[in-house]
Amino acid sequence: MKKVPFLTKDKAEEIAAEYGTPYHVYDEAAIRENAKSVAEAFAWNKGFREYFAVKATPNPFILRIFKDFGFGCDCSSMAELKMAYAAGFSGEDIMFSSNDTPAEEFAYAAKIGALINFDDITLLPYYLENVGEFPDTVCCRYNPGGTFSIANDIMDNPGDSKYGMTGEQMEEAFGMLKSHGVKHFGIHAFLASSTMTDEYYPALAGQLFGLAVELKKKCQVSIDFINLSGGVGIPYRPDETPNHIDRIGEGVKAAYEKILVPAGMGEVKIYTEMGRFMMGPFGALVTRAIHEKHIYKEYIGVDACAANLMRPAMYGAYHHITVLGKEDAPDTSRYDVTGSLCENNDKFAIDRLLPEIDMGDLLYIHDTGAHGFAMGYNYNGRLWSPEVLLHEDGSFSLIRRAQTLADYFATFDCFDEFKNMDAI
Ligand SMILES: *Cc1c(COP(=O)(O)O)cnc(C)c1O
């Protein structure tokens, strides 16, 4: 499918005139439309709730959009817990799915009443020793080991992943928690990332539902919810077929009716913790072409770099690029599109066919709405770009300002001469 920007060149220039380039921009109307279709796809399950994975797009304005749909937040650190809490989420609105967790983060999660998801069995005695007694409701994260495959297609290797507990440990953990007075239990697993098939959630659900029936029987506990976590992918490339959330919801429903309902577990709530699927396609990084270089290859230098979007440098991830105003121009030039970091992997595209780029053109880098701004870092002293929310009526708001040099130097406040860096 041809990838179409949600922003015209004129609108992109209007935002640039206000906040400069580069910037991350999000499409509020599309975020809401997609959130609605997620809620509808799982409406068959009375207790369904999406806990948006805050790490994908950690911004309170985005979190509040999801709050309108009754969704919660999935947090994995102190900063994310505090962001969700300050944005108006508390108690069971928050799922705390972390790993290698420091005691003070458990304590804070408990204080605000978040649902705690234990990544490992050793964290149970650690919690008792450092935090206190368990809350009434506790979730445990499962890792089946081996490989996770659908129709002979290996999707991922849980056996190599650091997350979750073995089946035996799940049983032992539930027993231990029960003996400490825990009354309600949840099961969680994340077995494959960026999946491009409607079969992922249904297959995962089938495994977890089976495990739930078994654990309920063996441990005599009440299983309240099953959290399918994240992993639903988006089409980064034009030739990929998007997932269909309605079919995914139907697939999970079929597994639910086949496995849970006959076991007398037709009240179990389904939770999801999607990040990428909720936000990925609805964000873009807009950057300006500022240099061209002709050596052994043709290079276009832009004013964004991997500090604004790390996925291409880190995973070789593909992000589609549209040259704004040249949407229908033929792709006549082959470029490497690069940022300024002193790292040769700082390239948004390699050998990419694009329309001929003129200096000053705005490049629209698609699908940066999840794990985009969020992975920003300050290597080479590069600063974070602003985040802008485009509203349905075409107006836009700044939802996070750009980082300044003063922000960058703030942690040197033990040196007087670093206190006013914007002024020197
Ligand atoms: C990253 C993460 C998610 C979100 O994953 P997506 O691939 O963005 O959907 C959900 N849950 C947990 C525990 C995660 O670590």
Side-chain angles (χ1 to χ4, degrees), residues 148-166:
F148 179 78
S149 54
I150 298 171
N152 297 323
D153 183 15
I154 292 181
M155 306 211 50
D156 223 320
N157 290 295
D160 286 338
S161 112
K162 66 172 178 170
Y163 306 109
M165 312 185 198
T166 67

Side-chain angles (χ1 to χ4, degrees), residues 53 55-56 74 97 141 188 190 193-194 229-232 273-277 371:
K55 73 161 194 256
D74 165 44
S97 285
R141 184 167 182 166
H188 171 285
F190 190 153
S193 201
S194 268
S229 77
V232 179
E273 267 174 6
M274 293 181 279
R276 194 182 314 274
F277 188 79
H371 313 292

Side-chain angles (χ1 to χ4, degrees), residues 173-190:
F174 275 28
M176 201 188 292
L177 289 161
K178 189 185 170 196
S179 73
H180 278 269
V182 173
K183 295 187 183 62
H184 309 281
F185 291 79
I187 299 175
H188 171 285
F190 190 153

Side-chain angles (χ1 to χ4, degrees), residues 105-175:
E105 298 188 2
F106 275 136
Y108 185 76
K111 188 176 116 182
I112 61 174
L115 286 170
I116 294 176
N117 183 20
F118 283 103
D119 179 70
D120 191 53
I121 192 162
T122 59
L123 293 174
L124 302 184
Y126 177 82
Y127 189 97
L128 286 172
E129 200 172 308
N130 295 285
V131 184
E133 271 301 332
F134 299 116
D136 278 354
T137 306
V138 167
C139 185
C140 289
R141 184 167 182 166
Y142 173 56
N143 179 337
T147 55
F148 179 78
S149 54
I150 298 171
N152 297 323
D153 183 15
I154 292 181
M155 306 211 50
D156 223 320
N157 290 295
D160 286 338
S161 112
K162 66 172 178 170
Y163 306 109
M165 312 185 198
T166 67
E168 292 94 75
Q169 289 172 339
M170 289 290 285
E171 192 180 330
E172 200 184 329
F174 275 28

